[in-house]
Amino acid sequence: MRHWPITDLELSTPDLVLRLPSDAELDALAQVAAEGVVPDGAVYFPQPWASAPPAERARNVVQNHWWARGDWARENWRLLLAVFRDGQVIGQQNLSARDFATTGEARTGFWLGRRFQGQSYGTQMRAAALALAFDGLDAAQVTSTAFADNTASRAVSRKFGYRPNGVHRIAVDGRPYDAHEEVVDSVSWRDHAQLLPVGMSGLTGCITYFR
Ligand SMILES: CC(C)(COP(=O)(O)OP(=O)(O)OC[C@H]1O[C@@H](n2cnc3c(N)ncnc32)[C@H](O)[C@@H]1OP(=O)(O)O)[C@@H](O)C(=O)NCCC(=O)NCCS
């Protein structure tokens, strides 16, 4: 899209392609969310969108994508990429930052439909986000926050050499959760970048949207 060149940005890993979804693909992504993201009763996000009833969960996904695009500013952006395997949408990878040009810090978040979890896709998604942040955008550090019992998310961070960066106690739906922040810097990324090859195209045309 000429006037929103982030649509040309595409990341690829051995099994996956990550890019902005069309509205039809966003609808498919929302359906994946409706079919389930977290086990019943589990709370893995500060905003409990994933444990909302299916229709609300799906609508949240759609609105969140539109909001992220509508609200985009170089000082405060949220890139929400749809994740495709063999052309089928299976989940979402986020990379976001405030004042990135000054701080060099970005954050990641990710989710997969339940039936796509535990097959190394999350690891590939994080590798793609880190490659974009460090190799594409020259980030200094990237953080990730996961609740204490989110074994899979924290295991992904461990693989890429993140170090603990503090625990915040936060309330979700009136209950306390320990949110573990972890951080990886560019030096540590270089030591782990060879874990997975990541392809990247279309960044040159939109890099000024990020920094
Ligand atoms: C978090 C998430 C994106 C990870 O993606 P994934 O594809 O399931 O993870 P992977 O298959 O790449 O596995 C990563 C590591 O976690 C481990 N792991 C995965 N699921 C696990 C589980 N349920 N229990 C324990 N370990 C688990 C894997 O063994 C792997 O480590 P290893 O390679 O050393 O064996 C995915 O599980 C998910 O969408 N979860 C629900 C939403 C969520 O929690 N999002 C993150 C919020 S912070």
Side-chain angles (χ1 to χ4, degrees), residues 11-18 83-85 90 93 110 112 119-131 156 159-160 189 195-198:
L11 308 173
S12 58
T13 68
D15 295 313
L16 308 174
V17 171
L18 291 79
V83 179
F84 298 87
R85 186 202 57 187
I90 63 170
Q93 175 66 51
F110 58 171
L112 285 159
Q119 299 166 59
S120 93
Y121 300 141
T123 302
Q124 296 188 43
M125 289 155 61
R126 181 72 68 78
L130 292 176
V156 171
K159 285 191 203 185
F160 290 102
W189 164 246
L195 202 64
L196 274 165
V198 177

Side-chain angles (χ1 to χ4, degrees), residues 20-34:
L20 288 187
S22 66
D23 273 0
E25 291 163 341
L26 179 54
D27 189 56
L29 178 64
Q31 182 58 31
V32 170

Side-chain angles (χ1 to χ4, degrees), residues 33 50 63 137 144 155-156:
Q63 285 191 293
L137 300 172
S144 166
V156 171

